[in-house]
């Protein structure tokens, strides 16, 4: 199952479960993969920042990829392969494609300073990975410090056919989706646009022309429902669902702390065995747990009102 | 009326109204000052980033400060005086204090690299402004790139008595409030903490010990209601109100675009004559106006349900 | 005397002399202006970073500009007018042009993220300053964090006719000069290129096609000699002179400390009354003074060997 | 041979030789190891930025480390193990220590924002590597964006005994050496200080108390001579030698281009087979080769005059 520019729906950014002592918990990994698909995911994305990828050794990264791809049973799994150098990107990228990954996600290293450098980088990445490897371009300036203008994005799409998907998390980024779709209406090759940023603008993003979400959340069913409803034009119901979850979405958006919230919720829901982050990540403080529990209780009540 | 460490409530970050041709609209400035106080503001903060301060000449900055302070009629007005150099900070700071400002807000220039430099900077600012000028320390790492650790914040509070207030917009920052209040419980001088970031964590911030909000929003009555209710311990009602406005709060948080949203809402509500931003700021695109109008209609409906 | 694209030679970046108590020393300002011209300067550039411009109030900036322009007696004086906002740039720029400045120097604010933003910024600056104000584009990525690609530079030159000069201090930047001159050989409008970075690559820069230097040094006669000799094709003699001063050039290149070195040398040579920097700048430590004195003694000996 | 705080002399930052087609050239790797020791190196440092480490796969990194350590025949080899995550640092660090490395060099990831974070990071690295692994702390703010204050450096030295050496390349950094040595004179544990930055301040650094150099240059004999002479108190002769090479040292300091210069010189001297950089690195342009050749001819002449 190889990624194409027609991809749509929800590709959940998967957590990597650890035991309380910091070992990878492969049983929980199986369980959370099942959980994501049960809740409506169309695919998964692993080894991203929210998957704690930089804390894994290379051997662990491969083991995680292998386990998830096999568990997914043919459903698409995108693998984050960003690394400081092209050789490491090529090494991991080819390894996971051999395992059956659907494509590779690559973001911009902070060393890229000018638009020609950004464009040139993706051309190099594509040459390194090879003609047959679909690339997801992750556009996440808040984290990378690299801003991709409409012109550069267009040039990459024009000249690097392997780029089949944009993981959109520029912020603010609604107008960027509109301009991208307008350029496609005038003849540019159409690519898939899945949105990140924890889904905080998801209803508007779908209405602007995005094809879905590629992000994480303790309740992935919200992502699936909102994408389905908004794509079907039922914006009011989509926004009702979204608004019910929004207080928690907002709370999960805190950098660093947000992943601890997400794992707390997933563990509480039984999707993983432990909420532990691998060091140097830390779990939730007592006050934060109380805040999350309060939001969860309110969310449950609000969802009942909606049904 | 001079700012003290006992300050609490809502200090609204005021917009600066312009005409469609880019001139300062002083009549609208009077009107928006009245509007903010009518909607429950306890004070105002002017010449901040969201007041488009960097787009004003120095003469304009003084004229705006003078007009707002006079219109406020004795209610406290904090003035942002951040500048690349100490001389300019001192020049503007002393001028606005002579006009009757309640205090001066100062943030960290991006040139500060180490903790001793950050601490030393606020000592220098305090010497430059003089012993009798209350200082609001704006802690906004997402914008400034400078991160203030608990230790540095404590050292500034210990050694710079003019610092009477923290404009808290570290993100994530809830634990920082908790740690600050804990240190005060163990004997450190207590300062006022008003929260920024568009109020997106306001209920939790008040519950953690903040004294109020110093931020902007098209509906400042939300800030006043949430602060009042949360401070009174009615967290459920506070969060109900907050949640009703949250979809718009979230939408206003888009950097750049957010100010255009806020001015659009204020103009629609009659608080200012034109939604125009001074160049190079741009107004709202057609698609964004439709999104805002949809959110406003839903917000009105939801508020009715709550009453 | 208005700056044109034909400008060449040495425009010394002038220091701003202060008394030991931190007041502007206008008598020394006159003296150092005379000193620079006596040592071979063709023009001066004031209110740059090495002129401690951010430490001046706006009134002081105008007073310095007025004094230098009058003392220069018709020789060209470029004034740095970079500021966080366009209004302040326009206000200071028009004021100094009225005083008789030759042109305005503007660099890229750190907020510019993409190539279209960089290009758009200089178009806005040019509109703000007006059609008749020559602009020196300062390209200094190490300080500003903004990198200007060849394409963007070319587009600015093509579309903003007021840009008549590049203050070149990209690093490494030799190839950029070569590519700029190559593009001009193929038809692009030629602009003046004066080089910064303390002159550390000056012989090579002139050989690559630069028109001179716009930088500071305790011995401006070195800049004048090297530019004159290299432009005349006597690269060996140019490099002999350059090499004799290089140990001190290198020592002056230390950010922060370098300006203290420069002022120490200028005070020792009688060009200014005090080596003091305005706070928060600091003078030279005892160990640094000993190092400078050792370098000065060796330099004098080496220069004698060359003559 | 394990690194201790008594280490001194010159640890050359080794290049990684590639063939013209981009494969690692292991024969040249042997040759350049011999070359460095022949020219006076006391040790080597591999897999640093100037060793193009980020362009290597993990398998290649291990192969290079193994080859160099074996060729060094018991002389100390420090290995750069910086990586985005602790797991990868531990994995490579333990692997190279098992091969016989003398110690591991680690720098600050750009994600460190406050002084407590910087201190905490090195404590974590030390725990990850284990009690018996000597650590070289690379302090290189120009590249990493992380500035280490005297206080933080002192706290790391106090609390992390595995840190036995500082690779000093803060800039300006002379005063930092003086303050470090002063603190040691008052009782702090003494660590080795080897200096980087291409050696551009080497004479002054040794005079301030540094123990040697850890940097690269096409003529490593210069580093060895200057360190030996300056340590012996013959500052004049040290500086004479240094000044003769300074025009080339300066030229090699151009980021990016500098490594191409260094490899060009090493290839010309027969130390490596090809001057090629692995992609995306580029070789020297025609104009740059001419500039280097001119500098080499002048340098040879000047060295003859000195002997």
């Amino acid at each position: 199952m190889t990624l194409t520019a027609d991809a749509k729906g929800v590709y959940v950014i998967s957590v990597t479960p650890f035991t309380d002592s910091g070992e990878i918990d492969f049983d929980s990994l199986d369980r959370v993969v099942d959980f994501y698909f049960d809740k409506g995911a169309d695919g998964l994305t692993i080894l991203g920042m929210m998957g704690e990828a930089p804390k894994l050794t290379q051997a662990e990264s491969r083991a995680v990829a292998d386990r998830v791809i096999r568990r997914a049973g043919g459903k698409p799994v995108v693998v984050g392969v960003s690394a400081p150098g092209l050789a490491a990107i090529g090494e991991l990228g080819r390894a996971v494609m051999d395992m059956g990954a659907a494509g590779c996600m690559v973001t911009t290293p902070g060393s890229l300073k000018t638009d020609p450098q950004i464009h040139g980088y993706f051309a190099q990445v594509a040459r390194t990975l090879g003609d047959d490897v679909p690339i997801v371009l992750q556009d996440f300036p808040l984290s990378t410090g690299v801003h991709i203008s409409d012109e550069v994005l267009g040039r990459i799409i024009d000249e690097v056919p392997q780029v089949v998907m944009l993981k959109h998390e520029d912020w603010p980024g609604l107008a960027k989706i509109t301009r991208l779709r307008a350029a496609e209406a005038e003849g540019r090759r159409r690519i898939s646009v899945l949105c990140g940023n924890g889904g905080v603008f998801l209803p508007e993003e779908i209405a602007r022309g995005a094809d879905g979400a590629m992000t994480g959340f303790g309740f992935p069913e919200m992502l699936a429902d909102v994408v389905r409803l908004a794509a079907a034009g039922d914006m009011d119901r989509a926004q009702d669902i979204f608004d019910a979850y929004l207080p928690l979405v907002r709370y999960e958006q805190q950098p660093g702390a947000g992943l601890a919230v997400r794992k707390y919720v997933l563990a509480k829901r039984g999707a993983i065995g432990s909420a532990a982050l691998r060091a140097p990540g830390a779990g939730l403080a007592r006050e934060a747990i109380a805040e999350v529990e309060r939001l969860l209780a309110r969310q449950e009540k609000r969802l009942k009102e909606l049904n």
Side-chain angles (χ1 to χ4, degrees), chain A:
Chain A
M1 166 88 211
T2 299
L3 204 67
T4 72
D6 296 325
K8 61 180 60 171
V10 176
Y11 282 58
V12 180
I13 298 280
S14 176
V15 298
T16 302
F18 296 100
T19 65
D20 288 342
S21 59
E23 300 302 303
I24 296 176
D25 176 352
F26 284 99
D27 288 338
S28 283
L29 190 57
D30 284 345
R31 217 185 327 154
V32 80
V33 168
D34 295 347
F35 173 85
Y36 287 137
F37 287 121
D38 285 349
K39 298 299 180 189
D42 299 285
L44 294 179
T45 301
I46 58 171
L47 301 185
M49 300 177 202
M50 294 301 265
E52 301 176 72
K55 300 177 191 166
L56 305 183
T57 65
Q58 200 185 67
E60 289 176 330
S61 296
R62 289 173 188 234
V64 166
D66 187 56
R67 185 79 165 226
V68 171
I69 290 167
R70 278 194 282 128
R71 188 72 176 191
K75 290 196 175 157
V77 178
V78 172
V79 182
V81 300
S82 297
L86 291 171
I89 289 174
E91 189 178 37
L92 182 59
R94 282 187 296 266
V96 299
M97 293 307 292
D98 286 347
M99 293 173 193
C104 292
M105 181 170 71
V106 180
T107 192
T108 46
S111 56
L112 302 177
K113 300 300 182 197
T114 64
D115 284 7
Q117 288 172 0
I118 297 170
H119 165 262
Y121 181 73
F122 282 97
Q124 284 176 325
V125 166
R127 273 196 300 274
T128 302
L129 287 170
D131 283 353
D132 54 337
V133 177
I135 295 172
V136 178
L137 189 170
Q138 184 181 19
D139 179 15
F140 193 9
L142 195 65
S143 170
T144 63
V146 178
H147 294 254
I148 303 180
S149 68
D150 296 329
E151 287 82 349
V152 167
L153 184 57
R155 198 170 156 198
I156 294 170
I157 294 169
D158 286 345
E159 300 181 14
V160 187
Q162 291 103 305
V163 173
V164 296
M165 184 186 285
L166 176 69
K167 181 178 196 300
H168 169 79
E169 33 199 347
D170 199 350
W171 192 358
L174 294 173
K176 203 172 197 174
I177 299 174
T178 297
R179 291 189 301 260
L180 179 63
R181 291 312 190 207
E184 292 169 353
E186 291 178 7
R188 187 191 290 154
R189 174 171 71 91
R190 190 185 194 282
I191 65 169
S192 173
V193 176
L194 301 190
C195 296
N197 274 324
V200 73
F201 294 111
L202 192 53
E204 288 88 354
E205 287 164 339
I206 301 297
R208 295 275 190 137
D211 299 302
M214 183 179 277
T215 194
F217 182 44
F219 292 84
E221 55 267 47
M222 179 277 279
L223 304 172
D225 286 350
V226 169
V227 167
R228 183 178 41 82
L229 290 163
D234 190 352
M235 279 300 288
D236 257 342
R237 180 74 185 164
Q239 188 91 37
D240 283 344
I241 303 282
F242 177 80
D243 288 358
Y245 288 98
L246 182 55
L248 186 63
V249 166
R250 161 203 69 118
Y251 197 90
E252 255 203 44
Q253 270 212 319
Q254 302 175 77
L259 180 58
V261 174
R262 187 176 299 171
K263 284 190 147 184
Y264 177 86
V265 171
L266 290 171
K268 185 182 166 89
R269 300 186 78 190
I272 57 178
S274 162
L277 277 69
R278 183 173 267 190
L284 286 185
R286 189 176 46 82
E287 297 88 347
I289 288 176
E291 287 163 348
V292 171
E293 289 290 350
R294 196 172 66 85
L295 293 172
L296 289 174
R298 290 179 54 89
Q299 175 180 293
E300 193 175 342
K301 179 162 158 283
R302 182 71 188 135
L303 285 168
K304 276 196 192 125
E305 290 171 14
L306 287 179
N307 290 315

